Each structure stands twice: as structure tokens, then as C-alpha cells.
Amino acid sequence: MNINRYLASLARYGIDKGLIEACDRTWAINQIIDALGLHSYEDAEPVQAPLEEILKVLLDDAVERGVCESDVTSRDLLDTKLMGVLTPPPREVRSKFAELYAKSPREATDWYYQFCQDTDYIRRARTTASFP
């Protein structure tokens, strides 16, 4: 497994979802490297994987290297920190919401719900699990 591919994938995810711009890629990768306690990065081709898999691989690596404990709370805190790198500042989120709300409260709410899923604030994998 090439961890650099997953670092690139997380940055690519942020760009694809409109959370960061392409010009923010290097900055985002540097912030992710710092959060994961890594010391280097070599540019690599992103993997084609859902966000949950990308985060799992990054978190598994962090656990293996002793950066993070393996319990759910520790992993959630670290993946929240990683996603925080890709999340725009509150002023931008509020501004976007207000702009959409002026046109349509429904459109603003739909956008915000999608945004919360895209930033993993709403953890899709946990909300779409089937129950017996």
C-alpha cells in the first residue's frame, strides 16, 4: 500500500467535492501530512475509492505508527481533523448558505445537507447501515 496515493486521494476528494480549490492541493496535503505525523510525501496517483475507504487506510496507517489509538473515538477525532483541512471556514459556509437561501430556503438546506455529508460531518457509512 502506498500511503501517498491515499493522501493524494483525500486532496482529490476535496477538490472534486468543491471543498477546496485545485490551487489549495499542496497546502491541503501538507496539512494532512502534519495531522498524520508524517515527514514526507511523494506525489502519487490517487486511488479510486470512496471517502470512507480513503480515511480508513489513512487512519489504519496512523494507528499502526502509534499516532492514533485504535478505538472509535480516537479514530473519529483524527478523521475529523483530516476533514477539517478540507472544510472551508465558517464565514464561507455561512455566505454560501445565505446566498442560496435568498433564492430558495429549500435549495440552501439541500446544499447544506450535502455539504455535511461531503465533509463527513454526517457519516454516510453510519447512517446508511442496514439494521436487522
Side-chain angles (χ1 to χ4, degrees):
M1 172 205 44
N2 181 344
I3 198 70
N4 292 318
R5 293 189 71 199
Y6 288 87
L7 292 167
S9 299
L10 188 55
R12 168 58 41 203
Y13 173 87
I15 293 166
D16 290 347
K17 294 296 183 180
L19 302 173
I20 61 172
E21 295 182 16
C23 64
D24 297 324
R25 181 182 182 276
T26 300
W27 172 86
I29 289 173
N30 286 334
Q31 295 301 308
I32 294 164
I33 288 169
D34 184 57
L36 291 170
L38 295 168
H39 303 290
S40 65
Y41 171 77
E42 289 185 28
D43 204 16
E45 187 68 28
V47 297
Q48 296 298 318
L51 177 62
E52 293 76 20
E53 181 181 330
I54 295 167
L55 290 172
K56 180 183 182 319
V57 169
L58 294 174
L59 293 172
D60 288 349
D61 178 74
V63 168
E64 192 174 296
R65 291 181 300 105
V67 173
C68 173
E69 297 296 321
S70 64
D71 62 276
V72 173
T73 301
S74 297
R75 291 174 70 96
D76 280 357
L77 289 172
L78 183 54
D79 75 9
T80 298
K81 187 174 188 174
L82 297 178
M83 292 308 296
V85 170
L86 303 178
T87 303
R91 72 178 175 278
E92 290 181 22
V93 176
R94 289 175 26 170
S95 177
K96 175 74 173 179
F97 184 86
E99 174 189 325
L100 293 171
Y101 192 88
K103 291 189 249 178
S104 163
R106 176 62 178 216
E107 185 178 344
T109 303
D110 289 347
W111 171 83
Y112 189 68
Y113 183 70
Q114 184 65 50
F115 173 81
C116 288
Q117 290 181 36
D118 291 344
T119 58
D120 210 30
Y121 182 74
I122 296 175
R123 297 172 187 265
R124 286 185 204 126
R126 295 182 189 174
T127 60
T128 59
S130 60
F131 295 97

